[in-house]
Amino acid sequence: MMLYLNPKNWQGDYKFPSIKDTRWVFGGLLFLYLILGETLLGFSRKPLQIAFLIGLGAILEIIFSGIFKGRKIFPLSAIISCLSISIILNFSFGYQNLWIPVFIMVASKYLITLNGKHFFNPSLFGIVCSLLFSNELVSLAPAYQWYGTTESAGFMLFFVITAAVLFFIVKINRIPLVLSFLVVYTLQTLLRTYIVRYIIPPETLFIGALTSPAFYLFCFYMITDPGTSPNDKKDQIIVGSSIGFVDLLFHLKFSLYTFFFAGITVAAIRFLYKLWQKYQRQEVEFVSGFKRLAVQIPVIILFAVPFLISMQWDQSDGSKLLAEHPFHLKLIGSKQSQLFSKQSDILSRVDPKLTHVAKWILSVGDAAAVADVNGDGLQDIFLTQILKDTSCKAKIYLNRGGFQFHKIAIPDLEQYLDSPEVNGLPAFGLFLDYDNDGDQDLFVGFGFAKSHLFENRLIQDGQFSMREILVPDLFNQSTICLAANAFDFNRDGKNDIMVANTLAAYLNDYPNKVSLNVFKLPKAEHAGDRRMLHFMHESWHNANNGGENFMLMNLGNGQFKQANSKQIGLPETRWSLSIGCSDFNKDGYTDLYIANDFGRDDCYLNMGGKRFQRQEGRFHGEVGLDTYKGMNSSLGDVDGNGQEDVYVSNVHHAMQAEGSLLWLNFTDSNAQQVNLKERASAMNMLNTNRFGWGAAFADLNMDGHPDIIQANGMVGDSWDHLYEERNDYWYYQAQIARTGPEIHSYADKWADLRGRSIYENEADGIFLNIDGRTFKDVSGQVGFNHRANTRGVVTADFDNDGDADILVTDQFGEPKLYENEIEIKNWIGLNLRGNGIGSARDPVGAKVWLSYQKDGQAKYRYQEFHLANGFSAQGDSRILFALGKNTEQISKLQIRIMWPDGTMQVLENLRINGYQNINQ
């Protein structure tokens, strides 16, 4: 076969496609879909990503056509295929993975041919290969991205079907193909609906299967491709029916993306059959085809090399960094730590209407908080253990040293632990000095009942004890609180409490206030009354039916007043899971980053202590416009530029290849708009193939750069084992996700989760920060080897030896406690205490700069004072700086502290390798 490597040898028969070419209509419709997706429906694709895909596909088509066929072409087909995969596929916000489907798609047209033409639909081939071989870096765009409301879902389906029928299907004579596929697919869907009717409501599966826009694009646009589908009506009926039948076979194996796999399977069988016919007839093309491939494959591989290199754009070696700064994590068993847990019957006590999804609804809330509550200098622990027995639920564990803890019950809290039908469940803990008296008080966020505040009596009575403080604005309302934080909103020297409601605390369909309590739902008032079941998220990408977040303004003297959320700029009612606090624009006022499940996060700038202003970019993928599942918001200076960045953990699995978010902060001082750039993909922090939950920043290897600890794993069947083999709920979840809010926002329409698992017992991650450029997972190398369904990540120096130890909570098991073992280290620890007048005793937002000279180089580090800093977790609030190995080479060491009231304090001649109390 001749290769036309010189463009001068390309044929000059270039013709621009006629305006009557049906492909223009096809491409125009796809372009309209993309416009709607970008403007109305919340596709998580950036416009530049789409342009990159289309441009790359067009360039490859022109080059390959010239090299292998010697023709100059206008790449209309490639553009159409790229529009198709831009709609159907989902990517993280990075760019380096986009070439995978495009390259496969275009290359397939030249490698797999029959009678001189490509045989497989390029889009279908690229999609299937990406799903099979990209390690979930690329997945199908979730059906929920097509749904914002019932109206938008109906509009899109109407648009897809009518456009296909009126403008495309009729012109290319593929009606028998489409009808045969639809008939068989509908019949087999009815069969599947009947088989699994006891697991998932029939209408959920049936509607989900037949209303997915991706399904309609496959049916009306992909299998009807004139270049790769049969012309003969009899063959069309055979192919359409076969795809529907093979799809059923894949469903029997609980496969995802079934119709795409069915389409490629039938196409492959047809291709092999036709090749066999050629072989039987001893046609020349069968033999020459292998000679052609022998030439084409090396050329195409050569073109793939730059893309393969781009996939490995950063070869930084975590092992080298570990060798330079070695550390190891030692698992402390519960026999030593006394951090036990005991299974309870709580899942069986859920209202009978909800037992089938109890494990989903109660899959969160195992939280931990640390602080020195008894003033002995050691960090103590509060564990909610939400699903565990009362004997270990909501207890304080006093640190006795040597990683041994002593359990203490809080009498005023114990009264709320035995009757979830009345008192709900403890789901979050936050230590704070609300009264500025110098000891750590405790806020306990409850789900499905009132939350509570407890005063530490250490200062008043001379010994540690907790007493509940009546806060009317807490006492008079129900909460579903999985997150809270404290900071001085208006800089009056008193920390206010920000409380997040994940779900709506009250059922919206009732005219009066009716609290949502999953242990005791309201009774039906008439036949068909389902109002009590209407509380699940209304959208999978932009849910706005969550709870109202509110702020308790600290008035002093133990008094709080709830601010009007709308008046202070917090009107959003999303599914909030974590509240991060930091001064993004360095104006002296604490700003917020709230991570929300099932939709976009909320980033707020504090406008002078009077109100918040929500930050929102222009396109999807920019701050405030993500469509992800924000679980966690942790803050730390990742890249060493003296500004705190935000890490948001997320899910990265089949149907949801989204990955975590890592917002690097480049905001100018006193700016009225944040400048956060998403870099998770570029810095290897997607946390791929994991169901991510909490996370934390800590300089584990003490090299001066904050590393990331990531908790993973959803739910298993250890508490409700029913089947011999693992029974995957994610398959049923895919069917639910395809439905509109009129289906999946009602709990009774969800599939039965009992005895089933969702990405259970996954490995947690230790990601080393390599010079602020990238992260490397070194979990196995440092002994972080457990596999569980973990939630909150706490980092604290439990033994006061200057390194960060780790505590990870497990929703269905015992907490995991690790001692950080570093032999050679030098450090400075600061325990900051505000003056209680201009700055709160807990000086949230205090800025600390460390500077020194070493080996002739200036070194700088930056941290802010935090309380809660991550999902279901409050870590050690003390500031810890690593100084490296050789302190004798350090000179000009200085620490500058800007307190929340704006005053500056400079510290020199500090003692190294010890904690020091720094009072304002």
Side-chain angles (χ1 to χ4, degrees):
M1 189 199 85
M2 180 179 293
L3 287 177
Y4 300 87
L5 296 178
N6 188 345
K8 292 182 179 180
N9 297 327
W10 295 2
Q11 300 175 16
D13 58 351
Y14 168 80
K15 290 183 179 180
F16 191 82
S18 169
I19 195 66
K20 297 181 179 179
D21 193 325
T22 309
R23 293 179 299 170
W24 285 113
V25 177
F26 188 17
L29 291 172
L30 293 177
F31 184 72
L32 286 177
Y33 298 163
L34 275 175
I35 295 297
L36 287 170
E38 289 292 304
T39 56
L40 297 178
L41 304 177
F43 284 11
S44 57
R45 253 80 83 222
K46 295 180 180 179
L48 286 179
Q49 282 184 316
I50 297 172
F52 178 84
L53 282 170
I54 295 172
L56 178 61
I59 291 171
L60 287 175
E61 178 84 351
I62 292 171
I63 293 175
F64 286 173
S65 177
I67 290 177
F68 297 126
K69 295 186 177 181
R71 293 187 304 176
K72 300 176 182 178
I73 64 167
F74 180 80
L76 180 57
S77 294
I79 291 172
I80 291 172
S81 296
C82 289
L83 288 170
S84 178
I85 63 174
S86 295
I87 294 171
I88 295 175
L89 290 181
N90 198 44
F91 319 88
S92 66
F93 287 144
Y95 285 83
Q96 61 272 13
N97 301 322
L98 302 185
W99 73 272
I100 297 174
V102 178
F103 190 86
I104 293 173
M105 176 188 72
V106 177
S108 70
K109 296 176 64 175
Y110 297 90
L111 288 178
I112 307 175
T113 62
L114 195 70
N115 299 324
K117 298 181 179 179
H118 64 277
F119 189 86
F120 291 91
N121 177 270
S123 299
L124 178 62
F125 196 88
I127 289 169
V128 171
C129 287
S130 297
L131 295 176
L132 290 175
F133 305 119
S134 74
N135 196 30
E136 295 186 358
L137 291 173
V138 179
S139 77
L140 286 186
Y144 55 74
Q145 286 192 345
W146 297 76
Y147 297 114
T149 63
T150 304
E151 291 76 15
S152 66
F155 169 74
M156 281 305 300
L157 294 181
F158 175 80
F159 185 78
V160 171
I161 297 172
T162 55
V165 173
L166 294 178
F167 298 108
F168 188 62
I169 303 301
V170 174
K171 289 188 176 182
I172 60 174
N173 299 315
R174 292 300 186 273
I175 292 179
L177 174 61
V178 171
L179 289 180
S180 59
F181 171 68
L182 284 177
V183 168
V184 175
Y185 187 82
T186 302
L187 291 175
Q188 59 105 325
T189 301
L190 288 172
L191 176 62
R192 289 190 291 114
T193 301
Y194 178 78
I195 293 173
V196 298
R197 66 190 183 281
Y198 299 113
I199 301 172
I200 185 170
E203 60 269 36
T204 300
L205 188 148
F206 190 77
I207 293 175
L210 292 180
T211 60
S212 165
F215 163 74
Y216 279 103
L217 288 175
F218 170 81
C219 175
F220 291 113
Y221 293 96
M222 195 167 288
I223 64 174
T224 58
D225 176 13
T228 58
S229 59
N231 292 315
D232 181 76
K233 292 183 179 180
K234 181 180 178 182
D235 289 344
Q236 288 184 32
I237 294 173
I238 294 173
V239 169
S241 302
S242 298
I243 294 175
F245 177 74
V246 173
D247 180 86
L248 173 63
L249 299 181
F250 280 111
H251 272 293
L252 295 178
K253 293 294 183 180
F254 295 98
S255 302
L256 303 173
Y257 320 128
T258 51
F259 44 77
F260 290 103
F261 289 138
I264 203 71
T265 300
V266 172
I269 293 172
R270 289 182 60 227
F271 181 72
L272 293 175
Y273 175 71
K274 291 184 177 296
L275 277 183
W276 176 253
Q277 286 182 318
K278 285 182 171 292
Y279 173 75
Q280 292 289 84
R281 295 193 296 265
Q282 296 184 347
E283 293 186 17
V284 175
E285 184 178 344
F286 183 80
V287 178
S288 64
F290 288 99
K291 295 180 179 179
R292 172 176 51 79
L293 288 175
V295 177
Q296 287 183 340
I297 289 177
V299 175
I300 288 181
I301 290 176
L302 180 64
F303 273 86
V305 168
F307 301 107
L308 293 172
I309 292 175
S310 73
M311 289 292 291
Q312 304 295 327
W313 72 99
D314 192 337
Q315 294 294 328
S316 301
D317 188 1
S319 299
K320 180 180 179 182
L321 186 60
L322 278 177
E324 296 173 351
H325 302 276
F327 76 101
H328 186 267
L329 297 173
K330 176 185 176 183
L331 179 63
I332 306 296
S334 57
K335 187 175 182 180
Q336 174 182 342
S337 70
Q338 296 296 300
L339 300 178
F340 291 108
S341 70
K342 182 180 178 182
Q343 181 178 341
S344 73
D345 62 349
I346 200 72
L347 291 178
S348 64
R349 296 174 65 176
V350 169
D351 189 286
K353 302 183 189 70
L354 299 175
T355 52
H356 66 295
V357 288
K359 200 163 59 174
W360 176 282
I361 296 172
L362 298 179
S363 63
V364 287
D366 205 290
V370 302
D372 178 10
V373 298
N374 59 354
D376 65 354
L378 296 173
Q379 298 293 300
D380 309 302
I381 303 172
F382 175 75
L383 295 173
T384 60
Q385 304 227 69
I386 183 172
L387 300 185
K388 316 300 173 40
D389 185 77
T390 304
S391 63
C392 52
K393 182 186 299 179
K395 301 295 188 291
I396 286 180
Y397 294 81
L398 295 180
N399 189 342
R400 294 294 179 84
F403 290 90
Q404 297 180 28
F405 296 84
H406 176 62
K407 182 174 63 177
I408 296 292
I410 303 173
D412 283 7
L413 177 56
E414 290 292 300
Q415 62 183 315
Y416 303 118
L417 303 181
D418 284 327
S419 301
E421 299 85 357
V422 177
N423 300 314
L425 294 171
F428 188 79
L430 175 70
F431 287 114
L432 74 158
D433 186 359
Y434 84 90
D435 51 2
N436 281 339
D437 67 349
D439 54 26
Q440 291 294 300
D441 311 302
L442 176 64
F443 169 83
V444 181
F446 270 67
F448 314 112
K450 302 175 180 64
S451 294
H452 305 275
L453 180 64
F454 302 89
E455 178 190 19
N456 189 341
R457 300 291 297 175
L458 178 65
I459 300 299
Q460 293 89 336
D461 302 337
Q463 63 180 12
F464 165 68
S465 66
M466 289 281 186
R467 183 187 69 182
E468 183 170 11
I469 299 299
L470 178 62
V471 179
D473 285 330
L474 282 179
F475 184 79
N476 295 327
Q477 66 177 312
S478 182
T479 59
I480 303 180
C481 175
L482 292 171
N485 216 330
F487 62 98
D488 188 357
F489 167 58
N490 54 4
R491 289 177 59 177
D492 65 352
K494 298 180 288 292
N495 279 333
D496 311 297
I497 303 176
M498 179 77 180
V499 179
N501 278 310
T502 305
L503 285 75
Y506 299 93
L507 293 163
N508 293 324
D509 292 348
Y510 289 86
N512 302 317
K513 268 193 170 183
V514 177
S515 298
L516 168 59
N517 189 330
V518 297
F519 297 95
K520 190 177 180 181
L521 292 177
K523 294 182 179 180
E525 298 179 5
H526 52 78
D529 185 6
R530 298 169 58 230
R531 292 175 296 172
M532 72 295 295
L533 301 166
H534 190 202
F535 60 85
M536 305 296 274
H537 46 278
E538 66 183 2
S539 167
W540 282 76
H541 82 284
N542 194 19
N544 288 311
N545 65 328
E548 178 182 289
N549 302 330
F550 62 91
M551 184 176 295
L552 295 173
M553 303 300 299
N554 192 340
L555 306 179
N557 299 318
Q559 302 297 311
F560 290 87
K561 176 66 176 178
Q562 182 173 331
N564 185 300
S565 296
K566 293 182 174 60
Q567 288 182 2
I568 64 170
L570 299 171
E572 283 72 29
T573 53
R574 305 187 188 277
W575 289 57
S576 301
L577 291 179
S578 180
I579 303 172
C581 297
S582 184
D583 186 2
F584 292 125
N585 61 351
K586 298 289 181 69
D587 67 348
Y589 289 89
T590 298
D591 310 307
L592 301 178
Y593 190 100
I594 301 180
N596 300 315
D597 206 352
F598 306 113
R600 59 193 59 173
D601 295 338
D602 293 314
C603 180
Y604 300 99
L605 279 185
N606 186 337
M607 310 306 288
K610 296 180 176 60
R611 61 183 178 84
F612 289 102
Q613 181 171 299
R614 188 177 185 277
Q615 305 295 290
E616 186 172 296
R618 294 175 298 170
F619 301 109
H620 291 287
E622 296 181 355
V623 66
L625 284 177
D626 65 286
T627 59
Y628 284 4
K629 316 297 165 291
M631 307 295 193
N632 166 87
S633 57
S634 296
L635 295 110
D637 185 5
V638 169
D639 54 355
N641 71 340
Q643 294 178 281
E644 288 206 315
D645 312 300
V646 188
Y647 175 69
V648 183
S649 56
N650 183 29
V651 179
H652 191 291
H653 272 299
M655 297 197 309
Q656 235 168 263
E658 297 172 343
S660 300
L661 302 172
L662 180 56
W663 298 103
L664 297 189
N665 186 6
F666 302 101
T667 307
D668 294 332
S669 296
N670 299 305
Q672 299 299 297
Q673 181 74 29
V674 296
N675 183 12
L676 300 180
K677 303 294 186 184
E678 208 292 304
R679 294 290 186 268
S681 182
M683 297 182 73
N684 195 35
M685 266 315 304
L686 288 177
N687 191 38
T688 55
N689 301 308
R690 293 291 184 270
F691 206 108
W693 289 101
F697 282 116
D699 186 1
L700 295 175
N701 62 345
M702 302 195 73
D703 68 342
H705 301 286
D707 310 303
I708 294 178
I709 306 98
Q710 173 69 60
N712 299 305
M714 179 49 174
V715 296
D717 64 349
S718 60
W719 282 22
D720 59 354
H721 188 70
L722 298 176
Y723 307 99
E724 291 185 7
E725 297 182 358
R726 180 185 184 274
N727 202 300
D728 187 9
Y729 188 78
W730 204 239
Y731 170 82
Y732 301 104
Q733 192 65 63
Q735 319 310 315
I736 298 169
R738 292 177 179 179
T739 62
E742 72 284 354
I743 295 289
H744 73 244
S745 62
Y746 286 85
D748 59 332
K749 297 303 180 184
W750 281 54
D752 193 341
L753 182 53
R754 288 171 292 187
R756 296 178 174 83
S757 303
I758 305 174
Y759 294 113
E760 76 283 9
N761 300 324
E762 293 186 321
D764 288 349
I766 299 289
F767 294 90
L768 279 191
N769 184 337
I770 302 180
D771 297 328
R773 296 181 293 103
T774 189
F775 288 86
K776 293 296 179 182
D777 188 350
V778 297
S779 308
Q781 296 167 264
V782 299
F784 202 63
N785 297 317
H786 65 266
R787 302 181 73 92
N789 301 298
T790 51
R791 296 298 182 261
V793 179
V794 165
T795 59
D797 188 359
F798 289 114
D799 53 356
N800 282 343
D801 66 347
D803 53 39
D805 309 303
I806 300 173
L807 174 70
V808 185
T809 68
D810 184 345
Q811 190 75 10
F812 302 96
E814 294 179 343
K816 308 296 186 293
L817 178 63
Y818 286 88
E819 177 186 2
N820 191 350
E821 298 179 320
I822 301 179
E823 295 182 3
I824 303 175
K825 59 193 171 189
N826 292 285
W827 52 281
I828 290 179
L830 306 175
N831 185 22
L832 303 184
R833 303 301 293 165
N835 58 18
I837 303 172
S839 301
R841 291 288 187 186
D842 289 330
V844 176
K847 303 171 179 64
V848 184
W849 293 268
L850 168 72
S851 62
Y852 60 92
Q853 293 279 336
K854 187 173 184 180
D855 298 328
Q857 294 182 339
K859 303 286 187 180
Y860 301 94
R861 300 287 183 265
Y862 173 76
Q863 291 189 46
E864 284 190 30
F865 184 100
H866 298 284
L867 289 178
N869 192 12
F871 170 74
S872 287
Q874 175 184 9
D876 195 335
S877 63
R878 294 176 294 181
I879 302 293
L880 183 61
F881 286 114
L883 298 176
K885 296 180 180 179
N886 301 314
T887 56
E888 62 273 9
Q889 299 176 5
I890 291 178
S891 62
K892 299 181 180 180
L893 191 149
Q894 183 186 83
I895 284 180
R896 292 181 299 123
I897 304 172
M898 179 175 284
W899 298 92
D901 63 2
T903 60
M904 184 71 75
Q905 189 169 347
V906 179
L907 305 174
E908 296 178 340
N909 302 317
L910 287 162
R911 178 168 52 90
I912 294 177
N913 296 334
Y915 285 100
Q916 294 151 85
N917 294 322
I918 308 297
N919 297 308
Q920 183 182 10

